[in-house]
Amino acid sequence: MPTHARPADAFTAINGFLGELEERGYGYETRRLRGHLLGEYLEHALGEAKTAALTTDELMDLVHADAWLAAAAAGETRRRNTLLGPDAAAANNSQRARIQTWNAFAEHLGLPLRLELPPAGHGDWLEPEEAHKLLRTLAVKRPAGANAATSLRTAAVAALVAATGRSVPELHGLNVTDVDLEHRPFPQIKLNNGPHPLDKETADILRRWLDIRAGITKQLEGTDPGYLWIPTKPGRPRHGEEPPKPGLTRAAVRTLHAAHRTLVTQVFGAPLRPGALLLSRP
């Protein structure tokens, strides 16, 4: 049970939940996703009840939860188009995120209610044709307000994950010298178990990222350390010291994951982990 009284108003309860997540140190992207999904849930419940406000207890009625999940599964709550069309069914991991959010909110409220979380399944991967289409879109489409360099770095990371079957942490330590786009008969990248051939599409995306990366590292004073994945802009000052210039350090794994989640959600309409783009089904 929570140590605080449960707010009567549903909107106030949602804001309180998001505030608690921030106090507990949850990242911005997690809080943003939780807020978006609970806002979607509240909006749907208000429409179903044909009212302007709901109490917290009314909102957490399982009838509202079931109706929301059914509408979301059918694509009825979607606000933007996707590569599969505006009426495409929701991805499996999107529904899992909704259920996880609902359960976390119920726990915050001290309610014993829980929705059953479906197992991860086929919906966690795209078909090869869909993966190719999404990779091409990531490489050329920059959502409003997005940083061009970050978007292209994200596309390059995703393309390598898809082409090599390696995870982001496994590709994190690559250097520029590991990439040989002029190798014949195929471009290749050096992995820990030897060279791996790259398809033309992946090579083209990597070449564009290397061009942008060169423009960033040109501003460095001294030798380029050679990290393949670098921050695209300075970080925040810490302990009163200026952050290192982009290129002096590797981009953190969490940074690459966060950028991927943000860009894919904006372009695809649903969050997808990098491994969802594997061109060979695991």
Side-chain angles (χ1 to χ4, degrees):
M1 294 292 289
T3 57
H4 53 276
R6 188 159 65 237
D9 176 66
F11 183 77
T12 302
I14 291 174
N15 284 335
F17 171 60
L18 299 178
E20 182 185 86
L21 291 182
E22 184 173 12
E23 291 174 2
R24 293 168 60 187
Y26 280 74
Y28 169 76
E29 287 301 323
T30 298
R31 290 184 277 115
R32 186 181 67 82
L33 178 63
R34 294 285 188 256
H36 168 74
L37 294 178
L38 287 175
E40 177 188 276
Y41 175 47
L42 176 59
E43 182 178 343
H44 185 269
L46 290 171
E48 288 288 299
K50 295 181 173 56
T51 184
L54 288 171
T55 67
T56 303
D57 289 338
E58 289 171 337
L59 176 67
M60 299 306 287
D61 189 321
L62 289 175
V63 172
H64 284 312
D66 290 341
W68 170 55
L69 291 175
E76 295 173 6
T77 62
R78 184 175 291 119
R79 293 185 176 181
R80 59 169 64 91
N81 198 0
T82 75
L83 294 180
L84 305 180
D87 300 321
N92 180 68
N93 59 335
S94 294
Q95 291 296 82
R96 283 171 57 86
R98 287 182 172 89
I99 293 173
Q100 288 170 330
T101 296
W102 196 96
N103 286 344
F105 185 44
E107 182 179 4
H108 163 78
L109 296 173
L111 298 173
L113 306 173
R114 297 293 182 274
L115 299 175
E116 183 178 355
L117 188 66
H122 173 73
D124 285 339
W125 288 275
L126 296 181
E127 291 299 327
E129 183 179 346
E130 296 171 351
H132 274 298
K133 187 175 183 180
L134 179 55
L135 286 172
R136 288 194 296 270
T137 303
L138 292 178
V140 300
K141 185 174 181 179
R142 179 161 61 97
N147 178 284
T150 301
S151 296
L152 193 52
R153 184 192 65 192
T154 299
V157 173
L160 268 188
V161 168
T164 66
R166 300 300 184 90
S167 66
V168 173
E170 289 175 309
L171 299 174
H172 175 247
L174 289 173
N175 295 316
V176 173
T177 53
D178 294 323
V179 182
D180 186 357
L181 299 181
E182 305 306 320
H183 187 271
R184 294 291 180 267
F186 302 107
Q188 64 180 24
I189 188 161
K190 187 190 302 180
L191 302 176
N192 57 4
N193 63 340
H196 190 289
L198 299 175
D199 59 276
K200 181 180 183 301
E201 189 172 23
T202 300
D204 288 344
I205 296 174
L206 272 175
R207 185 174 286 107
R208 291 175 59 201
W209 161 243
L210 289 175
D211 287 343
I212 285 188
R213 183 195 175 282
I216 295 173
T217 57
K218 187 177 180 180
Q219 308 301 317
L220 296 176
E221 297 176 0
T223 304
D224 178 356
Y227 308 130
L228 180 58
W229 313 119
I230 61 173
T232 56
K233 52 188 176 181
R236 297 177 181 177
R238 295 185 177 180
H239 309 298
E241 298 181 359
E242 289 297 317
K245 294 182 178 180
L248 289 176
T249 60
R250 293 188 191 276
V253 172
R254 64 179 180 275
T255 299
L256 299 178
H257 272 299
H260 176 90
R261 183 183 186 88
T262 299
L263 182 62
V264 171
T265 299
Q266 291 175 318
V267 171
F268 185 67
L272 286 173
R273 59 190 180 83
L277 302 175
L278 289 176
L279 302 183
S280 296
R281 184 75 67 247

